[in-house]
Amino acid sequence: MSRTGVYTGSFDPLTLGHLDIIRRAAALCDRLVIGVSTNSTKAPLFTLDQRVAIVAREAATVDGLIDVRPFTGLAVDFAASVDARFVVRGLRSGADLDYEAPMAAMNGAMAPGLETVFLAASPATAHIASSLVKDVARGGGRVNLFVPPRVAADIRAAAR
């Protein structure tokens, strides 16, 4: 049986932290499906189609079988639609764990066969959050410290 994992998020924008989790998650499974969604509580920098394209472009640099798809609705339903056995979640801090652990428990109740795997952020990326990157971009700061080079160019182009 194939070990398919899913990693979901809004990825607006894709950061070096996301890419680190993608690399590490891809090494844990036979196939990683990245689900790109919309978060109604956040002001998007990129459209859903743009984010899917950016994530696909950057994920192409990572070893492993990786598929990038847009999705709406619940992550457990998305995971079921791609026959995933586990969901990957990145943790930057204890606050992330406080948010993610109840969600993992609810996902487990809704989909008992679906496991959640938490990957701690690497020390080099633990401080990076997409919302903070957007703030830096809006202020004209150096986003290249926090995102891959082509994503930095995408952000500069979007700011024009």
Side-chain angles (χ1 to χ4, degrees):
M1 176 182 268
S2 173
R3 292 175 302 143
T4 297
V6 296
Y7 179 36
T8 61
S10 58
F11 304 104
D12 186 47
L14 179 81
T15 68
L16 293 173
H18 292 133
L19 205 50
D20 178 59
I21 296 295
I22 290 167
R23 274 191 194 95
R24 293 164 53 209
L28 297 175
C29 54
D30 300 319
R31 174 177 166 238
L32 179 65
V33 181
I34 302 171
V36 182
S37 65
T38 310
N39 186 331
S40 61
T41 66
K42 297 179 181 178
L45 182 62
F46 298 108
T47 67
L48 181 60
D49 289 343
Q50 288 172 320
R51 286 182 281 126
V52 168
I54 290 168
V55 173
R57 179 189 70 207
E58 298 300 322
T61 68
V62 176
D63 288 338
L65 178 57
I66 301 174
D67 185 16
V68 181
R69 301 179 184 191
F71 85 98
T72 57
L74 298 175
V76 292
D77 294 335
F78 177 69
S81 76
V82 298
D83 296 322
R85 294 180 58 190
F86 62 93
V87 174
V88 174
R89 301 303 297 163
L91 301 176
R92 293 170 299 188
S93 66
D96 282 354
L97 180 60
D98 289 344
Y99 175 79
E100 295 286 349
M103 191 178 343
M106 289 186 73
N107 287 345
M110 291 185 286
L114 186 66
E115 294 293 335
T116 299
V117 175
F118 295 119
L119 295 178
S122 65
T125 64
H127 62 286
I128 302 172
S130 290
S131 58
L132 295 177
V133 171
K134 285 190 275 194
D135 289 343
V136 170
R138 288 183 186 113
R142 295 176 46 210
V143 295
N144 61 309
L145 299 171
F146 313 112
V147 299
R150 291 181 293 183
V151 175
D154 295 333
I155 292 170
R156 285 191 297 277
R160 289 185 197 143

